[in-house]
């Protein structure tokens, strides 16, 4: 029997890896071992609880205010003994976080084949998003198997010279997760509070937006909301203290804006499904919202997820206060513009990505 080690550590990786963990654990030909780095702590643990995934190893690397060097070094050093003890036939990492980069590097150093899930996303601007664009390109270099969520992402890898027999277009496991969480009978008191209004669901956390851009983004939202009495905002605030400070400074004291703790993923998915529109700089939310038919204003200068833009659901606003404000006002005031974006589409898959990844991996490990 072949042994597969899954390595992840932040909230979005957990949301998208847990469906794969569950799929792989159901396969008789593979033993599945989970190592979390704990790059996130509370936000990771919540997702693990929701999907009932219990890690076999936990590096517990999160410390307050640590630098990217600290996280990278802690993951790299922490993984050594785990790789030594488990000696897996292959390891899987996800996406573009420091956990993914350091995890792939640790495996590479020990000649353990790496499979990259959510491979091939690119902005081709190494500063946007930062440091994620570097991380995912580096993980591509370090990986043997590349599970691309879309044909576009697969094509990026082929153009970069990755052999076609190592690229698998599978869909995104984010959609697998979404299939299990959204319910018609979902109720929540925060949604009751917003029931008489158009609900904007807001999130923000990108490192390159911290500071002046993020403060401007929040002011833009506040201005648009204060001018429109029928609009309310719910903002589950990321636990990065810099985000919390900016949110408090710019958004507190407005009766129609509520700052909340990070939400359980099942709650968050149901909030998305009930919202009027979503304003975010998140990556994962750009994948989930199109299949729910929710317009998303993406507060970034570039996105690695052009499929949602092409499908008409995502609009990249830039990060300047006026640009965000104008895009938001347009969507709130122009019904035709809103309707044009509020269309369900499935550019990120059909909810069966985990099965495809497990099938491909099973075959590859048998053959190699
Ligand atoms: C990380 C990823 C980013 C991903 C994001 C998802 C990197 C470089 N960045 O960014 O790609 O989009 O996660 O949210 O890998 N914190 C807590 N508790 C938690 C989580 C975070 O207190 O459960 C605080 C800690 O002070 C931590 C800080 O948030 O130091 C930042 O976390 P970190 O993982 O370093 O970076 P993110 O900005 O969350
Ligand atoms: N999410 C969540 N609770 C929240 C906000 C987001 O569970 O309060 C989920 C969201 O549905 C998506 C993932 O977390 O699956 C996105 O994480 P994040 O925005 O932190 O990271 P990114 O995707 O930008 O890397």
């Amino acid at each position: 029997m072949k042994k597969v080690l899954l390595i992840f550590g932040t909230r979005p990786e957990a949301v998208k890896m847990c469906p794969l963990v569950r799929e792989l654990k159901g396969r008789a030909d593979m033993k599945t071992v989970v190592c979390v780095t704990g790059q996130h702590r509370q936000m990771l643990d919540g997702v693990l609880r929701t999907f009932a995934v219990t890690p076999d190893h936990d590096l517990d690397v999160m410390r307050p205010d640590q630098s990217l060097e600290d996280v990278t070094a802690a993951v790299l050093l922490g993984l050594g003994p785990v790789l030594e003890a488990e000696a897996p036939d292959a390891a899987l990492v996800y996406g573009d976080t420091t956990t993914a980069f350091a995890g792939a590097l640790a495996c590479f150093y020990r000649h353990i084949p790496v499979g990259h899930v959510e491979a091939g996303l690119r902005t081709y601007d190494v500063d946007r998003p930062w440091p994620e664009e570097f991380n995912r390109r580096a993980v591509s270099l370090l990986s043997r198997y590349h599970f691309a969520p879309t044909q576009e992402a697969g094509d990026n890898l082929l153009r970069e010279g990755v052999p076609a027999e190592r690229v698998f277009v599978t869909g995104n496991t984010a959609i697998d997760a979404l299939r299990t969480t959204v319910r018609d009978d979902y109720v929540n008191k925060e949604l009751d509070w917003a029931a008489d209004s158009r609900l904007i669901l807001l999130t923000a956390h990108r490192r390159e937006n911290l500071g002046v851009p993020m403060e401007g983004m929040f002011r833009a939202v506040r201005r648009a909301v204060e001018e429109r009495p029928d609009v309310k905002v719910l903002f589950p605030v990321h636990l990065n203290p810099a985000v919390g400070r900016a949110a408090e400074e710019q958004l507190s004291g407005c009766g129609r804006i509520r700052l909340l703790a990070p939400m359980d993923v099942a709650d968050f998915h149901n909030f998305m499904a009930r919202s009027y529109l979503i304003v975010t700089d998140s990556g994962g939310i750009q994948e989930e919202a199109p299949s729910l038919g929710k317009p998303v204003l993406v507060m970034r200068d570039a996105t690695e997820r052009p499929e949602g833009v092409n499908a008409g659901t995502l609009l990249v606003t830039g990060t300047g206060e006026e640009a965000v404000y104008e895009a938001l006002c347009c969507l709130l005031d122009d019904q035709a513009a809103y309707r044009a974006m509020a269309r369900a589409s499935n550019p990120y898959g059909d909810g069966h990505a985990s099965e495809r990844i497990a099938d491909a991996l099973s075959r590859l490990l048998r053959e190699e």
Side-chain angles (χ1 to χ4, degrees):
M1 190 190 295
K2 300 290 184 181
K3 188 191 278 189
V4 179
L5 175 69
L6 290 92
I7 302 167
F8 55 95
T10 64
R11 170 172 67 191
E13 293 168 275
V15 171
K16 299 172 193 182
M17 279 295 228
C18 283
L20 185 54
V21 171
R22 295 178 67 95
E23 178 66 33
L24 288 170
K25 280 194 183 282
R27 303 278 172 133
D29 59 340
M30 279 184 277
K31 177 168 169 50
T32 302
V33 179
V34 173
C35 177
V36 295
T37 64
Q39 178 178 335
H40 285 172
R41 190 68 279 165
Q42 304 90 321
M43 284 163 44
L44 168 73
D45 293 345
V47 181
L48 294 173
R49 270 195 303 277
T50 297
F51 289 103
V53 167
T54 308
D56 303 283
H57 302 273
D58 189 337
L59 307 184
D60 199 20
V61 305
M62 201 192 92
R63 300 285 176 276
D65 286 328
Q66 65 184 345
S67 66
L68 289 176
E69 302 94 288
D70 293 327
V71 184
T72 307
V75 171
L76 204 50
L77 291 173
L79 272 175
V82 174
L83 298 178
E84 182 81 37
E86 294 288 355
D89 297 289
L92 297 178
V93 300
Y94 199 103
D96 54 19
T97 65
T98 296
T99 286
F101 166 58
L105 186 58
C107 293
F108 177 76
Y109 283 160
R110 284 173 190 263
H111 301 292
I112 295 165
V114 175
H116 188 196
V117 187
E118 198 178 84
L121 276 63
R122 298 288 186 265
T123 61
Y124 291 108
D125 177 346
V126 83
D127 294 318
R128 287 184 182 77
W130 180 88
E132 289 84 0
E133 177 72 8
F134 163 79
N135 286 342
R136 57 189 167 225
R137 286 201 235 168
V139 174
S140 291
L141 274 179
L142 296 164
S143 295
R144 188 173 177 85
Y145 315 123
H146 308 257
F147 302 106
T150 63
Q151 192 59 51
E152 286 90 329
D155 289 345
N156 289 338
L157 293 164
L158 299 178
R159 269 196 302 275
E160 292 169 20
V162 179
E165 65 275 17
R166 300 207 178 279
V167 177
F168 304 86
V169 176
T170 61
N172 196 310
T173 55
I175 310 303
D176 302 16
L178 205 54
R179 280 176 65 227
T180 67
T181 49
V182 177
R183 295 196 330 251
D184 288 341
D185 60 351
Y186 178 83
V187 286
N188 185 293
K189 67 178 177 14
E190 301 294 349
L191 289 180
D192 292 345
W193 169 75
D196 60 349
S197 302
R198 292 184 289 170
L199 171 62
I200 297 176
L201 193 56
L202 172 66
T203 83
H205 70 83
R206 295 246 80 76
R207 277 171 193 261
E208 71 272 19
N209 289 343
L210 294 176
V212 173
M214 193 170 284
E215 288 161 13
M217 284 157 35
F218 292 165
R219 272 196 304 276
V221 173
R222 183 176 189 141
R223 281 166 58 199
V225 172
E226 284 182 336
E227 291 162 5
R228 290 166 184 78
D230 69 327
V231 174
K232 286 182 175 169
V233 174
L234 289 172
F235 178 8
V237 182
H238 190 286
L239 289 178
N240 185 334
V243 179
R245 278 193 297 274
E248 272 297 324
E249 277 166 21
Q250 303 301 331
L251 296 173
S252 62
C254 174
R256 280 182 283 109
I257 299 179
R258 281 196 176 171
L259 306 183
L260 309 173
M263 276 182 207
D264 168 76
V265 60
D267 290 324
F268 190 78
H269 285 173
N270 281 284
F271 274 49
M272 277 201 296
R274 299 292 176 80
S275 64
Y276 185 72
L277 65 92
I278 298 165
V279 180
T280 190
D281 65 7
S282 162
I285 293 168
Q286 294 178 57
E287 292 150 0
E288 295 163 345
S291 71
L292 296 170
K294 298 299 172 182
V296 184
L297 296 181
V298 182
M299 297 183 293
R300 297 190 185 194
D301 295 319
T303 182
E304 61 290 89
R305 291 163 168 100
E307 301 85 355
V309 177
N310 296 336
T313 320
L314 310 182
L315 181 71
V316 179
T317 64
T319 54
E321 177 175 344
E322 286 311 309
V324 173
Y325 172 75
E326 276 166 28
L328 189 48
C329 293
C330 170
L331 209 50
L332 287 170
D333 296 343
D334 182 341
Q335 279 300 307
Y338 178 84
R339 274 196 305 273
M341 286 185 74
R343 275 191 317 237
S345 72
N346 261 347
Y348 300 107
D350 58 2
H352 297 281
S354 300
E355 286 162 48
R356 293 192 190 92
I357 295 167
D359 286 346
L361 194 61
S362 166
R363 185 170 55 72
L364 288 162
L365 292 180
R366 221 176 27 245
E367 286 170 0
E368 300 204 356

